Amino acid sequence: MVRTGEFEKHFGAPPTVVAASPGRVNLIGEHIDYLGGWVLPAAIDRHLVVEAAPTEDGSFEVVPAASGMGRPARFRNDELHRREDPGERWLNYLVGVLACYRDAGIETPGFRAVVHGDLPAGAGLSASAALETAFALVVERLADAKLDEVARALLCQRAEHECAGVPCGIMDQLAVGAAKADHALLLDCRDLAFRHVPLPGDLALVVVDTGVKHSLADGGYRARREDCERALARLGAASFRELAPAQVESARDLLGETLHRRARHAVGEMDRVGRFAAALAAGDDETVARLLREGHESLRDDFEVSCPELDCLVEAAYSCGPETGHLGSRMTGGGFGGSTISLVRRDAAPALQAHLESAFAAAFGRKPDAFATSAVDGARLLAVESIPNPET
Ligand code: GLA
């Protein structure tokens, strides 16, 4: 549910443009977007909303009303440099987007904006891509420009590389920007072709945020990317897509222990995505469950991006057999903390959620943030006249 009305509370007048961007989960295809693999994300019913209106003097004024983002800020359009101060780092997503549009010849008139919503930051649910994409839609509306979904996602990804300093792949920006309700997005990250794959109508997604804050800028993410590049160089291959699992197995000595495990995850995960999409379409629950489990174990053991909190939730989920309506679980997103995703029959979602909450609380002494969602539409502009006045 997208809630609006914050702008008027802060600035005493209604906004002229409002953009809402969902977060995303990834069903499978983890850490292979930047390797040109396939991914299968879906947008979730947690959003960041940017409400904005132009300023008279061309300056920017932004108020973060979502929790944990940082301080409000004011700046001119010749101050689009990277922010290092922790309280202002969140601004990098905005200045990055503004700078990239400028490079593309699209000059943004200044605006004041409030950012709010219920999508938590650092939970592995793509709050950064949601923020970039919502700002991108605001910029396009105010600058009277329009990019297609792929061009916009590429621009937001560049903003993240250059201003936020995270060498991310393209999955999050495209998932947030191009998702469709009740569908997952099957995206080929080699050529950015995508199609919407229907999700079974009785399926719910249960998301549990471990509260272990991952910051992809911390270095683990970059280190994994570099491991993969080194493994490819040693194998003399341009992409893991050209390699069969057996080729990686036979190159164990050449790669050494760590790079061998990274490569085994990459080729294994690439192989799993297509099989998972086919199994989901065929209603083959057993294969769905097995592939999700294999995917998690590969991220835990070979790619080493899981953590005890994520592993505990996945184990607790699999202790609920298929007879309870649980189809499968895994960590989702970049890892090093963040969230798990469980696929479950809709009527069984409350029981699974309660079970995961209590298993987590028993192990770690605190209640995690958990919610059930269906797949929702990607980022969009909202009709301003439909925005309810918070005072009425
Ligand atoms: C983060 C990145 C994505 C992707 C995932 C892991 O979410 O932003 O590009 O690499 O991690 O699949």
Side-chain angles (χ1 to χ4, degrees), residues 24 26 29-34 126 160 168-172 216 221 333-334:
R24 67 95 191 90
N26 187 17
E30 213 68 89
H31 278 277
I32 54 171
D33 60 344
Y34 52 78
S126 282
E160 181 138 354
C168 62
I170 191 67
M171 169 173 75
D172 300 347
L216 294 183
Y221 184 88

Side-chain angles (χ1 to χ4, degrees), residues 158-192:
R158 212 184 112 209
E160 181 138 354
H161 287 187
E162 290 176 5
C163 259
V166 180
C168 62
I170 191 67
M171 169 173 75
D172 300 347
Q173 289 77 10
L174 254 176
V176 158
K180 183 168 154 186
D182 305 321
H183 290 71
L185 184 93
L186 183 58
L187 167 66
D188 182 342
C189 299
R190 188 161 64 179
D191 60 8
L192 304 189

Side-chain angles (χ1 to χ4, degrees), residues 320-366:
C320 305
E323 68 287 352
T324 66
H326 170 240
L327 267 76
S329 298
R330 58 187 281 285
M331 56 157 277
T332 193
F336 306 105
S339 300
T340 62
I341 169 86
S342 297
L343 273 58
V344 60
R345 301 282 166 229
R346 194 175 299 282
D347 54 4
L352 180 73
Q353 183 179 326
H355 172 71
L356 296 179
E357 284 168 348
S358 70
F360 189 93
F364 300 104
R366 61 190 168 81

Side-chain angles (χ1 to χ4, degrees), residues 9 107 170-171 288:
K9 274 195 223 155
E107 200 62 49
I170 191 67
M171 169 173 75
V288 164

Side-chain angles (χ1 to χ4, degrees), residues 66 138 189 201 285:
V138 166
C189 299
D285 293 351

Side-chain angles (χ1 to χ4, degrees), residues 49-85:
V49 181
V50 175
E51 300 185 39
T55 49
E56 303 69 34
D57 62 358
S59 65
F60 294 87
E61 180 178 359
V62 279
V63 177
S67 70
M69 288 185 85
R71 284 197 302 273
R74 271 185 115 120
F75 57 93
R76 297 185 313 268
N77 70 358
D78 58 354
E79 295 175 311
L80 304 185
H81 56 271
R82 184 175 165 156
R83 306 319 201 247
E84 302 293 348
D85 178 324

